[in-house]
Short mmCIF file of all heavy atoms in Angstrom, two decimals:
data_model
loop_
_atom_site.label_atom_id
_atom_site.label_comp_id
_atom_site.label_asym_id
_atom_site.label_seq_id
_atom_site.Cartn_x
_atom_site.Cartn_y
_atom_site.Cartn_z
N MET A 6 -104.12 116.88 91.95
CA MET A 6 -102.90 116.11 92.00
C MET A 6 -101.76 117.00 91.45
O MET A 6 -101.89 117.71 90.48
CB MET A 6 -103.05 114.89 91.08
CG MET A 6 -101.77 114.12 90.98
SD MET A 6 -102.00 112.64 90.01
CE MET A 6 -100.42 112.05 89.97
N SER A 7 -100.67 116.89 92.13
CA SER A 7 -99.52 117.69 91.70
C SER A 7 -98.61 116.82 90.79
O SER A 7 -97.97 115.86 91.21
CB SER A 7 -98.71 118.09 92.94
OG SER A 7 -97.43 118.62 92.55
N TYR A 8 -98.60 117.20 89.53
CA TYR A 8 -97.72 116.45 88.61
C TYR A 8 -96.25 116.81 88.87
O TYR A 8 -95.42 115.99 88.61
CB TYR A 8 -98.14 116.80 87.14
CG TYR A 8 -99.44 116.16 86.77
CD1 TYR A 8 -100.61 116.96 86.76
CD2 TYR A 8 -99.49 114.82 86.49
CE1 TYR A 8 -101.78 116.37 86.45
CE2 TYR A 8 -100.71 114.23 86.18
CZ TYR A 8 -101.89 115.00 86.17
OH TYR A 8 -103.09 114.44 85.84
N ILE A 9 -95.99 118.00 89.37
CA ILE A 9 -94.57 118.34 89.66
C ILE A 9 -94.02 117.40 90.68
O ILE A 9 -92.90 116.92 90.61
CB ILE A 9 -94.54 119.82 90.15
CG1 ILE A 9 -94.83 120.75 89.04
CG2 ILE A 9 -93.17 120.13 90.79
CD1 ILE A 9 -93.82 120.75 87.94
N ARG A 10 -94.83 117.07 91.68
CA ARG A 10 -94.36 116.17 92.75
C ARG A 10 -93.96 114.82 92.13
O ARG A 10 -92.98 114.24 92.48
CB ARG A 10 -95.46 116.02 93.78
CG ARG A 10 -95.05 115.07 94.87
CD ARG A 10 -96.12 114.95 95.86
NE ARG A 10 -95.73 113.91 96.84
CZ ARG A 10 -96.64 113.22 97.54
NH1 ARG A 10 -97.88 113.47 97.44
NH2 ARG A 10 -96.20 112.32 98.39
N GLU A 11 -94.76 114.33 91.24
CA GLU A 11 -94.48 113.00 90.61
C GLU A 11 -93.41 113.06 89.53
O GLU A 11 -92.68 112.09 89.37
CB GLU A 11 -95.77 112.46 90.00
CG GLU A 11 -96.97 112.37 90.97
CD GLU A 11 -96.62 111.55 92.19
OE1 GLU A 11 -95.91 110.51 92.05
OE2 GLU A 11 -97.09 111.89 93.30
N LEU A 12 -93.30 114.18 88.81
CA LEU A 12 -92.40 114.25 87.72
C LEU A 12 -91.10 115.05 88.01
O LEU A 12 -90.30 115.26 87.11
CB LEU A 12 -93.07 114.89 86.50
CG LEU A 12 -94.32 114.15 86.01
CD1 LEU A 12 -94.98 114.98 84.92
CD2 LEU A 12 -93.92 112.80 85.52
N ARG A 13 -90.93 115.43 89.26
CA ARG A 13 -89.81 116.28 89.61
C ARG A 13 -88.45 115.70 89.15
O ARG A 13 -87.61 116.42 88.61
CB ARG A 13 -89.79 116.53 91.07
CG ARG A 13 -88.72 117.53 91.53
CD ARG A 13 -88.81 117.94 92.94
NE ARG A 13 -89.34 116.86 93.80
CZ ARG A 13 -89.33 116.91 95.13
NH1 ARG A 13 -88.84 117.95 95.69
NH2 ARG A 13 -89.76 115.92 95.84
N PRO A 14 -88.17 114.39 89.33
CA PRO A 14 -86.88 113.91 88.85
C PRO A 14 -86.64 114.09 87.36
O PRO A 14 -85.54 114.43 86.89
CB PRO A 14 -86.93 112.41 89.20
CG PRO A 14 -87.92 112.30 90.30
CD PRO A 14 -88.94 113.42 90.02
N TYR A 15 -87.71 113.88 86.60
CA TYR A 15 -87.59 114.12 85.15
C TYR A 15 -87.42 115.57 84.81
O TYR A 15 -86.75 115.91 83.84
CB TYR A 15 -88.78 113.47 84.42
CG TYR A 15 -88.98 112.05 84.75
CD1 TYR A 15 -90.02 111.64 85.61
CD2 TYR A 15 -88.15 111.09 84.21
CE1 TYR A 15 -90.18 110.30 85.93
CE2 TYR A 15 -88.35 109.76 84.49
CZ TYR A 15 -89.34 109.37 85.36
OH TYR A 15 -89.48 108.07 85.68
N MET A 16 -88.06 116.45 85.56
CA MET A 16 -87.94 117.89 85.33
C MET A 16 -86.48 118.33 85.49
O MET A 16 -86.03 119.17 84.80
CB MET A 16 -88.87 118.68 86.21
CG MET A 16 -90.37 118.35 86.02
SD MET A 16 -91.03 119.00 84.51
CE MET A 16 -91.24 120.69 84.90
N TYR A 17 -85.81 117.77 86.53
CA TYR A 17 -84.41 118.08 86.72
C TYR A 17 -83.59 117.49 85.59
O TYR A 17 -82.73 118.21 85.02
CB TYR A 17 -83.89 117.49 88.01
CG TYR A 17 -84.32 118.20 89.26
CD1 TYR A 17 -85.19 117.64 90.17
CD2 TYR A 17 -83.81 119.49 89.53
CE1 TYR A 17 -85.57 118.35 91.30
CE2 TYR A 17 -84.19 120.20 90.67
CZ TYR A 17 -85.07 119.62 91.54
OH TYR A 17 -85.47 120.27 92.66
N TRP A 18 -83.84 116.27 85.20
CA TRP A 18 -83.07 115.57 84.20
C TRP A 18 -83.20 116.26 82.84
O TRP A 18 -82.22 116.37 82.10
CB TRP A 18 -83.59 114.15 84.10
CG TRP A 18 -82.86 113.28 83.12
CD1 TRP A 18 -81.51 112.95 83.18
CD2 TRP A 18 -83.35 112.67 82.00
NE1 TRP A 18 -81.18 112.16 82.12
CE2 TRP A 18 -82.33 111.94 81.33
CE3 TRP A 18 -84.66 112.61 81.40
CZ2 TRP A 18 -82.51 111.20 80.19
CZ3 TRP A 18 -84.81 111.90 80.23
CH2 TRP A 18 -83.75 111.21 79.63
N LEU A 19 -84.40 116.79 82.52
CA LEU A 19 -84.60 117.48 81.24
C LEU A 19 -84.21 118.97 81.28
O LEU A 19 -84.25 119.66 80.26
CB LEU A 19 -86.06 117.38 80.85
CG LEU A 19 -86.51 115.94 80.50
CD1 LEU A 19 -88.00 115.90 80.36
CD2 LEU A 19 -85.83 115.49 79.23
N GLY A 20 -83.82 119.46 82.45
CA GLY A 20 -83.34 120.83 82.54
C GLY A 20 -84.40 121.92 82.81
O GLY A 20 -84.13 123.09 82.69
N PHE A 21 -85.61 121.48 83.12
CA PHE A 21 -86.68 122.47 83.44
C PHE A 21 -86.51 123.02 84.84
O PHE A 21 -86.98 124.10 85.13
CB PHE A 21 -88.05 121.83 83.25
CG PHE A 21 -88.42 121.52 81.85
CD1 PHE A 21 -88.35 120.26 81.34
CD2 PHE A 21 -88.81 122.56 81.01
CE1 PHE A 21 -88.69 119.97 80.03
CE2 PHE A 21 -89.15 122.31 79.68
CZ PHE A 21 -89.08 121.02 79.18
N LEU A 22 -85.87 122.28 85.74
CA LEU A 22 -85.67 122.71 87.11
C LEU A 22 -84.18 122.60 87.37
O LEU A 22 -83.52 121.67 86.97
CB LEU A 22 -86.45 121.84 88.12
CG LEU A 22 -87.96 121.77 88.00
CD1 LEU A 22 -88.54 120.78 88.91
CD2 LEU A 22 -88.53 123.18 88.26
N ASN A 23 -83.71 123.57 88.19
CA ASN A 23 -82.30 123.53 88.63
C ASN A 23 -82.16 123.47 90.15
O ASN A 23 -81.16 122.95 90.66
CB ASN A 23 -81.53 124.70 88.09
CG ASN A 23 -81.45 124.69 86.59
OD1 ASN A 23 -81.08 123.72 86.02
ND2 ASN A 23 -81.88 125.83 85.93
N LYS A 24 -83.11 124.03 90.85
CA LYS A 24 -83.08 124.08 92.33
C LYS A 24 -84.37 123.52 92.87
O LYS A 24 -85.42 123.68 92.24
CB LYS A 24 -82.91 125.50 92.79
CG LYS A 24 -81.57 126.15 92.33
CD LYS A 24 -81.52 127.55 92.81
CE LYS A 24 -80.25 128.25 92.26
NZ LYS A 24 -80.19 129.61 92.66
N ALA A 25 -84.33 122.97 94.09
CA ALA A 25 -85.54 122.42 94.70
C ALA A 25 -86.64 123.44 94.86
O ALA A 25 -87.81 123.10 94.68
CB ALA A 25 -85.13 121.78 96.02
N LYS A 26 -86.30 124.64 95.15
CA LYS A 26 -87.28 125.74 95.38
C LYS A 26 -88.11 125.95 94.10
O LYS A 26 -89.29 126.32 94.15
CB LYS A 26 -86.63 126.96 95.80
CG LYS A 26 -87.55 128.08 96.21
CD LYS A 26 -86.82 129.24 96.79
CE LYS A 26 -87.83 130.30 97.25
NZ LYS A 26 -87.21 131.47 97.88
N GLU A 27 -87.52 125.75 92.92
CA GLU A 27 -88.19 125.94 91.65
C GLU A 27 -89.37 124.99 91.52
O GLU A 27 -90.37 125.37 90.88
CB GLU A 27 -87.22 125.78 90.50
CG GLU A 27 -86.18 126.88 90.44
CD GLU A 27 -85.15 126.58 89.38
OE1 GLU A 27 -85.06 125.47 88.86
OE2 GLU A 27 -84.41 127.56 89.03
N ALA A 28 -89.27 123.74 91.98
CA ALA A 28 -90.37 122.81 91.88
C ALA A 28 -91.54 123.34 92.69
O ALA A 28 -92.75 123.29 92.20
CB ALA A 28 -89.91 121.47 92.38
N GLY A 29 -91.35 123.79 93.93
CA GLY A 29 -92.47 124.32 94.72
C GLY A 29 -93.05 125.54 94.11
O GLY A 29 -94.27 125.73 94.17
N GLU A 30 -92.23 126.40 93.57
CA GLU A 30 -92.71 127.63 92.92
C GLU A 30 -93.60 127.36 91.70
O GLU A 30 -94.67 127.94 91.54
CB GLU A 30 -91.52 128.51 92.50
CG GLU A 30 -91.89 129.87 92.09
CD GLU A 30 -92.46 130.75 93.19
OE1 GLU A 30 -92.05 130.60 94.37
OE2 GLU A 30 -93.39 131.56 92.92
N LEU A 31 -93.16 126.40 90.89
CA LEU A 31 -93.93 126.00 89.72
C LEU A 31 -95.26 125.35 90.15
O LEU A 31 -96.32 125.66 89.54
CB LEU A 31 -93.14 125.03 88.84
CG LEU A 31 -93.75 124.58 87.54
CD1 LEU A 31 -94.06 125.75 86.68
CD2 LEU A 31 -92.85 123.60 86.87
N ASP A 32 -95.26 124.56 91.13
CA ASP A 32 -96.49 123.93 91.64
C ASP A 32 -97.43 125.00 92.17
O ASP A 32 -98.62 124.96 91.91
CB ASP A 32 -96.11 122.94 92.75
CG ASP A 32 -97.24 121.98 93.04
OD1 ASP A 32 -97.86 121.48 92.08
OD2 ASP A 32 -97.52 121.71 94.24
N TRP A 33 -96.92 125.98 92.86
CA TRP A 33 -97.76 127.06 93.43
C TRP A 33 -98.41 127.87 92.29
O TRP A 33 -99.57 128.19 92.34
CB TRP A 33 -96.90 127.98 94.26
CG TRP A 33 -97.64 129.18 94.81
CD1 TRP A 33 -97.62 130.46 94.32
CD2 TRP A 33 -98.55 129.21 95.94
NE1 TRP A 33 -98.41 131.26 95.08
CE2 TRP A 33 -98.96 130.49 96.02
CE3 TRP A 33 -98.98 128.23 96.83
CZ2 TRP A 33 -99.87 130.87 97.02
CZ3 TRP A 33 -99.88 128.62 97.84
CH2 TRP A 33 -100.30 129.93 97.91
N LYS A 34 -97.65 128.17 91.25
CA LYS A 34 -98.14 129.01 90.13
C LYS A 34 -99.18 128.19 89.35
O LYS A 34 -100.13 128.75 88.81
CB LYS A 34 -97.02 129.44 89.22
CG LYS A 34 -96.15 130.55 89.83
CD LYS A 34 -95.04 130.91 88.91
CE LYS A 34 -94.21 132.00 89.50
NZ LYS A 34 -93.06 132.36 88.60
N ALA A 35 -98.95 126.92 89.23
CA ALA A 35 -99.81 126.11 88.35
C ALA A 35 -101.17 125.79 88.98
O ALA A 35 -102.28 126.02 88.42
CB ALA A 35 -99.14 124.79 87.97
N ILE A 36 -101.16 125.29 90.22
CA ILE A 36 -102.43 124.81 90.85
C ILE A 36 -102.59 125.33 92.29
O ILE A 36 -103.46 124.84 93.00
CB ILE A 36 -102.56 123.30 90.83
CG1 ILE A 36 -101.39 122.67 91.58
CG2 ILE A 36 -102.59 122.81 89.40
CD1 ILE A 36 -101.59 121.16 91.78
N GLY A 37 -101.76 126.25 92.72
CA GLY A 37 -101.86 126.70 94.07
C GLY A 37 -101.07 125.91 95.07
O GLY A 37 -101.10 126.14 96.26
N GLY A 38 -100.34 124.95 94.57
CA GLY A 38 -99.45 124.18 95.40
C GLY A 38 -100.14 123.09 96.19
O GLY A 38 -101.30 123.22 96.59
N THR A 39 -99.46 122.00 96.47
CA THR A 39 -99.94 120.92 97.28
C THR A 39 -98.91 120.45 98.24
O THR A 39 -99.20 119.63 99.08
CB THR A 39 -100.41 119.74 96.37
OG1 THR A 39 -99.28 119.30 95.62
CG2 THR A 39 -101.56 120.11 95.47
N TRP A 40 -97.73 120.92 98.18
CA TRP A 40 -96.64 120.50 99.03
C TRP A 40 -95.53 121.54 99.05
O TRP A 40 -95.61 122.51 98.33
CB TRP A 40 -96.08 119.17 98.57
CG TRP A 40 -95.54 119.20 97.16
CD1 TRP A 40 -96.27 119.16 95.99
CD2 TRP A 40 -94.17 119.39 96.82
NE1 TRP A 40 -95.38 119.32 94.91
CE2 TRP A 40 -94.10 119.42 95.37
CE3 TRP A 40 -93.00 119.50 97.51
CZ2 TRP A 40 -92.91 119.55 94.70
CZ3 TRP A 40 -91.80 119.62 96.81
CH2 TRP A 40 -91.80 119.67 95.41
N GLY A 41 -94.52 121.32 99.89
CA GLY A 41 -93.40 122.23 99.95
C GLY A 41 -93.79 123.63 100.33
O GLY A 41 -94.45 123.84 101.34
N ILE A 42 -93.38 124.60 99.57
CA ILE A 42 -93.56 126.03 99.90
C ILE A 42 -95.04 126.41 100.02
O ILE A 42 -95.41 127.33 100.74
CB ILE A 42 -92.85 126.92 98.89
CG1 ILE A 42 -92.68 128.31 99.46
CG2 ILE A 42 -93.61 126.92 97.56
CD1 ILE A 42 -91.71 129.15 98.57
N ALA A 43 -95.92 125.67 99.35
CA ALA A 43 -97.31 126.00 99.37
C ALA A 43 -97.92 125.88 100.80
O ALA A 43 -98.79 126.65 101.16
CB ALA A 43 -98.14 125.09 98.45
N THR A 44 -97.43 124.97 101.59
CA THR A 44 -97.94 124.78 102.96
C THR A 44 -97.73 126.04 103.77
O THR A 44 -98.67 126.49 104.45
CB THR A 44 -97.17 123.63 103.60
OG1 THR A 44 -97.28 122.46 102.77
CG2 THR A 44 -97.77 123.31 104.98
N SER A 45 -96.61 126.69 103.69
CA SER A 45 -96.39 127.88 104.49
C SER A 45 -97.06 129.10 103.88
O SER A 45 -97.44 130.04 104.56
CB SER A 45 -94.89 128.17 104.61
OG SER A 45 -94.30 128.29 103.39
N ARG A 46 -97.27 129.13 102.55
CA ARG A 46 -97.89 130.24 101.87
C ARG A 46 -99.42 130.37 102.14
O ARG A 46 -100.01 131.42 102.11
CB ARG A 46 -97.66 130.26 100.40
CG ARG A 46 -96.26 130.59 100.01
CD ARG A 46 -96.08 130.66 98.53
NE ARG A 46 -94.77 131.07 98.16
CZ ARG A 46 -94.37 131.16 96.93
NH1 ARG A 46 -95.17 130.86 95.94
NH2 ARG A 46 -93.16 131.55 96.68
N LEU A 47 -99.98 129.23 102.44
CA LEU A 47 -101.46 129.25 102.69
C LEU A 47 -101.89 130.05 103.88
O LEU A 47 -103.01 130.56 103.95
CB LEU A 47 -101.93 127.81 102.74
CG LEU A 47 -102.06 127.04 101.40
CD1 LEU A 47 -102.49 125.61 101.70
CD2 LEU A 47 -102.96 127.72 100.46
N SER A 48 -101.01 130.19 104.84
CA SER A 48 -101.35 130.88 106.04
C SER A 48 -101.47 132.43 105.81
O SER A 48 -102.18 133.12 106.54
CB SER A 48 -100.29 130.70 107.13
OG SER A 48 -99.03 131.20 106.70
N CYS A 49 -100.92 132.94 104.70
CA CYS A 49 -101.02 134.37 104.45
C CYS A 49 -101.66 134.64 103.09
O CYS A 49 -101.67 135.77 102.67
CB CYS A 49 -99.64 135.02 104.50
SG CYS A 49 -98.43 134.39 103.33
N TRP A 50 -102.23 133.64 102.45
CA TRP A 50 -102.80 133.83 101.15
C TRP A 50 -104.14 134.60 101.23
O TRP A 50 -104.89 134.40 102.16
CB TRP A 50 -103.09 132.45 100.51
CG TRP A 50 -103.78 132.54 99.15
CD1 TRP A 50 -103.17 132.78 97.97
CD2 TRP A 50 -105.17 132.44 98.90
NE1 TRP A 50 -104.08 132.78 96.98
CE2 TRP A 50 -105.36 132.55 97.50
CE3 TRP A 50 -106.27 132.17 99.65
CZ2 TRP A 50 -106.58 132.49 96.88
CZ3 TRP A 50 -107.53 132.14 99.06
CH2 TRP A 50 -107.65 132.23 97.70
N GLU A 51 -104.36 135.51 100.26
CA GLU A 51 -105.61 136.22 100.18
C GLU A 51 -106.06 136.22 98.74
O GLU A 51 -105.26 136.37 97.80
CB GLU A 51 -105.44 137.69 100.64
CG GLU A 51 -105.15 137.78 102.15
CD GLU A 51 -105.12 139.21 102.60
OE1 GLU A 51 -105.57 140.15 101.86
OE2 GLU A 51 -104.54 139.46 103.67
N ARG A 52 -107.35 136.08 98.54
CA ARG A 52 -107.94 136.08 97.19
C ARG A 52 -107.85 137.51 96.60
O ARG A 52 -108.11 138.48 97.28
CB ARG A 52 -109.37 135.69 97.28
CG ARG A 52 -110.11 135.64 95.91
CD ARG A 52 -111.60 135.52 96.10
NE ARG A 52 -111.96 134.27 96.67
CZ ARG A 52 -112.53 133.30 95.98
NH1 ARG A 52 -112.80 133.45 94.75
NH2 ARG A 52 -112.84 132.18 96.61
N SER A 53 -107.45 137.59 95.34
CA SER A 53 -107.38 138.91 94.67
C SER A 53 -108.82 139.40 94.43
O SER A 53 -109.72 138.65 94.25
CB SER A 53 -106.56 138.79 93.40
OG SER A 53 -107.23 138.02 92.44
N GLU A 54 -108.93 140.69 94.37
CA GLU A 54 -110.25 141.33 94.20
C GLU A 54 -110.86 141.03 92.81
O GLU A 54 -112.08 141.01 92.66
CB GLU A 54 -110.15 142.83 94.37
CG GLU A 54 -110.01 143.20 95.83
CD GLU A 54 -111.14 142.76 96.71
OE1 GLU A 54 -112.29 142.90 96.28
OE2 GLU A 54 -110.86 142.32 97.81
N ASP A 55 -110.03 140.76 91.78
CA ASP A 55 -110.52 140.51 90.47
C ASP A 55 -110.71 139.06 90.15
O ASP A 55 -110.96 138.69 89.01
CB ASP A 55 -109.65 141.20 89.40
CG ASP A 55 -108.22 140.61 89.40
OD1 ASP A 55 -107.85 139.97 90.37
OD2 ASP A 55 -107.55 140.80 88.42
N SER A 56 -110.58 138.17 91.16
CA SER A 56 -110.76 136.76 90.91
C SER A 56 -112.26 136.36 90.74
O SER A 56 -113.13 137.12 91.20
CB SER A 56 -110.16 135.92 92.05
OG SER A 56 -110.84 136.18 93.23
N PHE A 57 -112.49 135.25 90.10
CA PHE A 57 -113.84 134.80 89.85
C PHE A 57 -114.47 134.39 91.14
O PHE A 57 -113.93 133.65 91.95
CB PHE A 57 -113.81 133.61 88.85
CG PHE A 57 -115.14 133.01 88.64
CD1 PHE A 57 -116.13 133.68 87.96
CD2 PHE A 57 -115.44 131.72 89.18
CE1 PHE A 57 -117.41 133.11 87.77
CE2 PHE A 57 -116.64 131.17 88.99
CZ PHE A 57 -117.64 131.86 88.30
N ARG A 58 -115.72 134.86 91.39
CA ARG A 58 -116.48 134.48 92.58
C ARG A 58 -117.91 134.13 92.17
O ARG A 58 -118.70 135.05 91.82
CB ARG A 58 -116.52 135.67 93.56
CG ARG A 58 -115.15 136.03 94.10
CD ARG A 58 -115.22 137.30 94.91
NE ARG A 58 -113.86 137.75 95.24
CZ ARG A 58 -113.46 138.06 96.38
NH1 ARG A 58 -114.29 138.00 97.45
NH2 ARG A 58 -112.26 138.45 96.58
N PRO A 59 -118.23 132.91 92.16
CA PRO A 59 -119.58 132.45 91.79
C PRO A 59 -120.63 133.07 92.75
O PRO A 59 -120.45 133.10 93.94
CB PRO A 59 -119.55 130.96 91.88
CG PRO A 59 -118.12 130.58 91.95
CD PRO A 59 -117.38 131.77 92.47
N LEU A 60 -121.73 133.49 92.17
CA LEU A 60 -122.76 134.13 93.01
C LEU A 60 -123.31 133.16 94.07
O LEU A 60 -123.64 133.59 95.18
CB LEU A 60 -123.94 134.59 92.12
CG LEU A 60 -123.55 135.76 91.18
CD1 LEU A 60 -124.77 136.10 90.27
CD2 LEU A 60 -123.09 136.97 91.92
N ILE A 61 -123.37 131.89 93.77
CA ILE A 61 -123.91 130.96 94.73
C ILE A 61 -123.01 130.87 95.98
O ILE A 61 -123.50 130.71 97.11
CB ILE A 61 -124.11 129.55 94.12
CG1 ILE A 61 -124.87 128.62 95.08
CG2 ILE A 61 -122.80 128.93 93.73
CD1 ILE A 61 -126.32 128.93 95.16
N LEU A 62 -121.75 131.04 95.81
CA LEU A 62 -120.81 131.02 96.95
C LEU A 62 -120.90 132.34 97.73
O LEU A 62 -120.76 132.36 98.98
CB LEU A 62 -119.39 130.79 96.52
CG LEU A 62 -119.09 129.40 95.93
CD1 LEU A 62 -117.62 129.30 95.52
CD2 LEU A 62 -119.47 128.29 96.92
N LEU A 63 -121.10 133.41 97.04
CA LEU A 63 -121.20 134.74 97.73
C LEU A 63 -122.43 134.80 98.63
O LEU A 63 -122.45 135.47 99.67
CB LEU A 63 -121.27 135.87 96.70
CG LEU A 63 -119.94 136.13 95.95
CD1 LEU A 63 -120.12 137.18 94.90
CD2 LEU A 63 -118.85 136.49 96.92
N ARG A 64 -123.47 134.05 98.27
CA ARG A 64 -124.71 134.04 99.07
C ARG A 64 -124.42 133.48 100.50
O ARG A 64 -125.02 133.92 101.47
CB ARG A 64 -125.73 133.15 98.40
CG ARG A 64 -127.05 133.08 99.14
CD ARG A 64 -128.06 132.18 98.53
NE ARG A 64 -128.21 132.47 97.08
CZ ARG A 64 -128.81 131.65 96.21
NH1 ARG A 64 -129.29 130.50 96.65
NH2 ARG A 64 -128.89 131.96 94.96
N TYR A 65 -123.46 132.58 100.60
CA TYR A 65 -123.20 131.92 101.91
C TYR A 65 -121.89 132.47 102.56
O TYR A 65 -121.49 131.96 103.56
CB TYR A 65 -123.06 130.41 101.64
CG TYR A 65 -124.30 129.81 101.10
CD1 TYR A 65 -124.37 129.45 99.79
CD2 TYR A 65 -125.41 129.66 101.95
CE1 TYR A 65 -125.53 128.93 99.25
CE2 TYR A 65 -126.59 129.14 101.39
CZ TYR A 65 -126.65 128.76 100.09
OH TYR A 65 -127.80 128.23 99.58
N TRP A 66 -121.31 133.48 101.95
CA TRP A 66 -120.06 134.06 102.48
C TRP A 66 -120.30 134.76 103.79
O TRP A 66 -121.19 135.61 103.90
CB TRP A 66 -119.47 135.01 101.45
CG TRP A 66 -118.18 135.63 101.93
CD1 TRP A 66 -118.04 136.88 102.42
CD2 TRP A 66 -116.91 135.05 102.02
NE1 TRP A 66 -116.77 137.13 102.76
CE2 TRP A 66 -116.05 135.99 102.52
CE3 TRP A 66 -116.41 133.75 101.71
CZ2 TRP A 66 -114.69 135.74 102.73
CZ3 TRP A 66 -115.07 133.52 101.92
CH2 TRP A 66 -114.23 134.51 102.40
N ILE A 67 -119.52 134.42 104.81
CA ILE A 67 -119.62 135.09 106.06
C ILE A 67 -118.24 135.68 106.35
O ILE A 67 -117.29 134.94 106.62
CB ILE A 67 -119.99 134.12 107.19
CG1 ILE A 67 -121.31 133.44 106.91
CG2 ILE A 67 -120.03 134.82 108.56
CD1 ILE A 67 -121.68 132.30 107.80
N PRO A 68 -118.09 136.97 106.29
CA PRO A 68 -116.78 137.63 106.50
C PRO A 68 -116.28 137.51 107.89
O PRO A 68 -116.85 137.16 108.84
CB PRO A 68 -117.02 139.08 106.19
CG PRO A 68 -118.43 139.32 106.05
CD PRO A 68 -119.12 137.93 106.01
#
């Protein structure tokens, strides 16, 4: 669940956000995004080499 999506009006009111793009950027950094800019970023997203990869998932990985 994206808390930014639900709390965005309060984030503006409290001064944590100033522009609409900042809400999408914060959502992307926090949980990988669920709306806005995250939708377009998923088409070019790649997992970093140093990210956690459980062995059970690697067993079924098909490149």
